[in-house]
C-alpha cells in the first residue's frame, strides 16, 4: 500500500523498518520499505488509513514477535510468553502425566494416542515459532524440558511393561546420553559462556525423530497386547501374533535410535571439548 503525500508510503508519516501503532492500548507492528522515524502521535492518527491500504499487522498479545520499533530513538524488543508454540509446548508437558495415568488405569490405547499427539506438537511448535517469528526465552526453556519429560515418561512405562534387557538397555543408553548432553550444555554455559554453547545439530534432530517413532510403535504394540512380561506363552512356542510383531519392530527401531543417540552425544562431547 504505497502512495500518499510525503514521499514515503503515505499510510503513516514516519515509520521505521517496523510500524508501531497504538490504539486502545493495543500495540501493532507493520513492515514497510521506507526508513524514516515514526512518532506515536501521528502513528495513532493514521491507523485507519493503514487498514485501508492493507497493512499486515501483528498483535503482540498473540505472539512473541521479536520486532524492533523506534520509539524515542530506543529499540524495543517484543517478547511475550503467551504464544501458540509455548501453548503447544505446555500442552505437551501436561500430556506426560496424562499418558502415565492412562497407562496405569489400564488404557494403553489412550496412552499411545496421547503420545502421538504430544509428538505431533513437538514438530508443530518449532515450525510455528520459526515460520511466524515467535521464538521466546520461555519457549527455549520449555521445549527441551517437554521433550525429555515425554521421552522419559514413555521409556519408564515401556521398561516396566517389558521387564527385559532388550528394552532396558537401549532405554538406559538414551537416558544416559540425554542427561550427559544436558549437563554438558550447563557446563559450557557456566564455564565457557563465550563459546556459544552446544547447539542442536542435524544428527540431534534425527535421533529425536527415531526416538519418537520407536516409542510410538512400541506403545501401539503394547496397546494391542504385545511385549508384556506377563504373556501366557513364551515367544517361539507359537506363531508370532501381530501385536508381538509390532512390538518387535518397535524394539528394533529403539535399538537403532539408541545407537544414533549415543553417536550424536559423542559428537556433542567432541565439539564441546574442542571449543
Amino acid at each position: 500500500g504505497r502512495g500518499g503525500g510525503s514521499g514515503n508510503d503515505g499510510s503513516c508519516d514516519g515509520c521505521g523498518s517496523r510500524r508501531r501503532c497504538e490504539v486502545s492500548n493495543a500495540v501493532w507492528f507493520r513492515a514497510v520499505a521506507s526508513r524514516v522515524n515514526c512518532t506515536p502521535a501521528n502513528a495513532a492518527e493514521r491507523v485507519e488509513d493503514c487498514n485501508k491500504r492493507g497493512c499486515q499487522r501483528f498483535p503482540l498479545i498473540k505472539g512473541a514477535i521479536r520486532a524492533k520499533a523506534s520509539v524515542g530513538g530506543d529499540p524495543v524488543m517484543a517478547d511475550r510468553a503467551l504464544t501458540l508454540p509455548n501453548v503447544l509446548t505446555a500442552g505437551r508437558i501436561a500430556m506426560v502425566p496424562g499418558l502415565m495415568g492412562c497407562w496405569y488405569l489400564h488404557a494403553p490405547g489412550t496412552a499411545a494416542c496421547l503420545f502421538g499427539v504430544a509428538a505431533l506438537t513437538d514438530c508443530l511448535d518449532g515450525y510455528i515459532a520459526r515460520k511466524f517469528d515467535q521464538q521466546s526465552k520461555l519457549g527455549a526453556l520449555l521445549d527441551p524440558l517437554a521433550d525429555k519429560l515425554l521421552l522419559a515418561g514413555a521409556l519408564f512405562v515401556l521398561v516396566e511393561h517389558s521387564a527385559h534387557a532388550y528394552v532396558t538397555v537401549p532405554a538406559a543408553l538414551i537416558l544416559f546420553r540425554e542427561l550427559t548432553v544436558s549437563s554438558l550444555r550447563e557446563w559450557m554455559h557456566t564455564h565457557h559462556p563465550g563459546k556459544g554453547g552446544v547447539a542442536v545439530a542435524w544428527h540431534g534432530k534425527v535421533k529425536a525423530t527415531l526416538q519418537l517413532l520407536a516409542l510410538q510403535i512400541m506403545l501401539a504394540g503394547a496397546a494391542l497386547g504385545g511385549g508384556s512380561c506377563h504373556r501366557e506363552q513364551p515367544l517361539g512356542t507359537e506363531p508370532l501374533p501381530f501385536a508381538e510383531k509390532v512390538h518387535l519392530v518397535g524394539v528394533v527401531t529403539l535399538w537403532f535410535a539408541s545407537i544414533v543417540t549415543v553417536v550424536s552425544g559423542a559428537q556433542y562431547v567432541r565439539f564441546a571439548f574442542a571449543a
Side-chain angles (χ1 to χ4, degrees):
R2 295 193 182 183
S6 61
N8 53 28
D9 67 344
S11 60
C12 176
D13 292 335
C15 284
S17 61
R18 297 249 176 200
R19 178 179 310 282
R20 184 176 187 271
C21 303
E22 295 183 349
V23 182
S24 302
N25 297 325
V27 184
W28 309 85
F29 283 89
R30 175 200 171 223
V32 296
S34 59
R35 300 185 61 83
V36 287
N37 294 325
C38 184
T39 62
N42 56 26
E45 294 170 359
R46 301 288 182 148
V47 171
E48 292 302 324
D49 189 38
C50 230
N51 292 334
K52 292 176 183 178
R53 295 177 182 275
C55 302
Q56 186 179 9
R57 304 183 305 172
F58 301 92
L60 291 187
I61 192 64
K62 292 185 179 179
I65 304 175
R66 295 183 172 276
K68 290 184 179 180
S70 177
V71 182
D74 298 327
V76 177
M77 184 67 75
D79 193 0
R80 291 285 189 268
L82 188 59
T83 66
L84 180 56
N86 288 350
V87 171
L88 291 174
T89 304
R92 186 158 75 255
I93 294 175
M95 289 181 198
V96 176
L99 183 155
M100 301 186 76
C102 290
W103 182 271
Y104 290 112
L105 289 173
H106 307 291
T110 305
C113 291
L114 275 178
F115 183 87
V117 174
L120 182 62
T121 66
D122 187 24
C123 302
L124 286 178
D125 59 5
Y127 172 78
I128 293 174
R130 292 187 298 271
K131 179 72 173 179
F132 299 101
D133 196 17
Q134 293 189 1
Q135 295 94 339
S136 66
K137 294 179 180 178
L138 180 62
L141 170 67
L142 291 181
D143 186 64
L145 174 64
D147 294 344
K148 288 171 178 54
L149 289 175
L150 180 65
L151 176 69
L155 283 174
F156 289 158
V157 297
L158 287 171
V159 165
E160 181 189 31
H161 178 67
S162 299
H164 198 282
Y166 67 76
V167 175
T168 304
V169 172
L173 289 174
I174 290 173
L175 292 177
F176 173 78
R177 182 269 186 197
E178 297 296 341
L179 292 173
T180 300
V181 173
S182 296
S183 300
L184 189 62
R185 285 197 174 103
E186 182 66 25
W187 178 78
M188 286 287 291
H189 178 74
T190 302
H191 298 285
H192 299 280
K195 299 296 184 180
V198 182
V200 177
W202 65 269
H203 46 76
K205 299 181 184 297
V206 171
K207 66 90 184 171
T209 302
L210 287 173
Q211 289 171 358
L212 294 176
L213 179 61
L215 295 174
Q216 182 66 80
I217 296 174
M218 292 184 69
L219 286 170
L224 294 172
S228 174
C229 62
H230 303 296
R231 63 175 64 92
E232 295 181 358
Q233 288 182 286
L235 294 179
T237 60
E238 60 179 3
L240 197 62
F242 176 73
E244 295 295 346
K245 292 178 182 179
V246 174
H247 176 74
L248 182 60
V249 171
V251 170
V252 172
T253 309
L254 184 67
W255 271 98
F256 184 52
S258 68
I259 294 171
V260 175
T261 299
V262 171
V263 173
S264 170
Q267 293 295 319
Y268 283 121
V269 172
R270 184 182 64 83
F271 169 80
F273 284 101

